[in-house]
Amino acid sequence: MTNIQSAIDELVKNYDNRISVFEIEIQGLTDETLKLSGRLLDESQLEDLRHVLPDLKLDPASVRILSREPHEQMHVATNLIGLYEKPTFGMPLSSELTYGTELEVLGVEKRWAFTRQPDGYLGWVYRPYLANGAAPRLTHLILAPTTELHAEPSATGEVISRVVSGSGVVVEETHDGWSCISANRSGWIPSDHLRAFIDLPASVEGKRAAL
């Protein structure tokens, strides 16, 4: 049994837990049949297990294959949220997600959701900061490092929130160099802090340079 666990542990090292799920436990070995439990992201990982354990018959009936299951679609509904390795605020941040980021919910633990982003990155987010379904059709991207959201189209207007670089927003109207945007809240920011999505470079490198 020790050799079997060692083979599984070596296989796990081939997977990046930022973009993959490989959590397997041995439940027992009977007549050369290895009973397993846990969860994997997709079907191909079962084939990898069979490859490293060629002399055993695998019983994966208790293994969840996450890609087989239907998943709830949600999006970030506040300015900025943390992405964590574990479902607790006590863990270091893996990343931060801006308003409108769309997420596939692969699992739920109390008030936390285990999510996958469109680029494949995984992590836990605090579920109350999410909204159901796809994000509104966003029209512009915030390019300034951070920008204040004003109640009126004026630098002296009341500051009601802040929006960070990389956030997608909807521009509702413009007035004298100011744009009224809608994200998790509506308000006014300088128009030169925005770039229309249709004007952004097509390549990933070009988008990063613009940001």
Side-chain angles (χ1 to χ4, degrees):
M1 193 73 77
T2 301
N3 290 340
I4 296 172
Q5 186 63 61
S6 295
I8 294 174
D9 291 344
E10 284 299 314
L11 179 58
V12 170
K13 293 177 183 178
N14 295 328
Y15 289 95
D16 183 344
N17 62 12
R18 295 173 301 175
I19 56 174
S20 187
V21 177
F22 199 113
E23 300 170 358
I24 290 295
E25 295 182 4
I26 298 173
Q27 296 299 301
L29 177 62
T30 305
D31 298 329
E32 302 302 314
T33 296
L34 188 67
K35 184 175 178 60
L36 302 171
S37 66
R39 61 180 189 164
L40 300 171
L41 185 60
D42 58 56
E43 196 84 32
S44 65
Q45 293 167 301
L46 273 181
E47 294 307 312
D48 291 341
L49 271 170
R50 292 187 175 102
H51 180 73
V52 300
L53 301 170
D55 299 326
L56 295 173
K57 179 181 178 181
L58 303 187
D59 176 4
S62 298
V63 176
R64 289 178 59 198
I65 308 296
L66 297 179
S67 62
R68 290 178 183 169
E69 303 172 356
H71 299 296
E72 185 178 10
Q73 302 296 316
M74 305 189 79
H75 66 275
V76 176
T78 190
N79 285 352
L80 194 68
I81 66 172
L83 184 73
Y84 296 85
E85 292 183 13
K86 301 291 182 182
T88 171
F89 288 117
M91 291 292 293
L93 279 175
S94 298
S95 183
E96 291 180 312
L97 307 178
T98 56
Y99 173 81
T101 302
E102 296 189 347
L103 300 167
E104 181 182 14
V105 179
L106 303 182
V108 174
E109 185 173 314
K110 295 182 180 178
R111 291 171 68 81
W112 290 81
F114 182 60
T115 66
R116 178 165 59 177
Q117 300 172 55
D119 60 8
Y121 277 87
L122 304 165
W124 291 90
V125 298
Y126 192 54
R127 190 179 173 91
Y129 295 156
L130 304 179
N132 293 325
R137 186 173 178 83
L138 306 175
T139 62
H140 289 68
L141 194 68
I142 301 291
L143 294 186
T146 184
T147 186
E148 294 178 335
L149 195 65
H150 294 265
E152 302 169 355
S154 166
T156 59
E158 177 191 358
V159 176
I160 57 176
S161 186
R162 287 174 174 78
V163 189
V164 298
S165 177
S167 298
V169 300
V170 178
V171 172
E172 299 178 334
E173 61 176 302
T174 59
H175 177 74
D176 290 341
W178 288 78
S179 294
C180 182
I181 66 165
S182 173
N184 67 312
R185 299 187 67 177
S186 294
W188 294 85
I189 67 171
S191 297
D192 59 8
H193 289 184
L194 294 162
R195 179 77 64 85
F197 276 113
I198 59 173
D199 294 335
L200 288 172
S203 69
V204 174
E205 293 77 10
K207 289 177 182 177
R208 286 175 178 165
L211 286 171

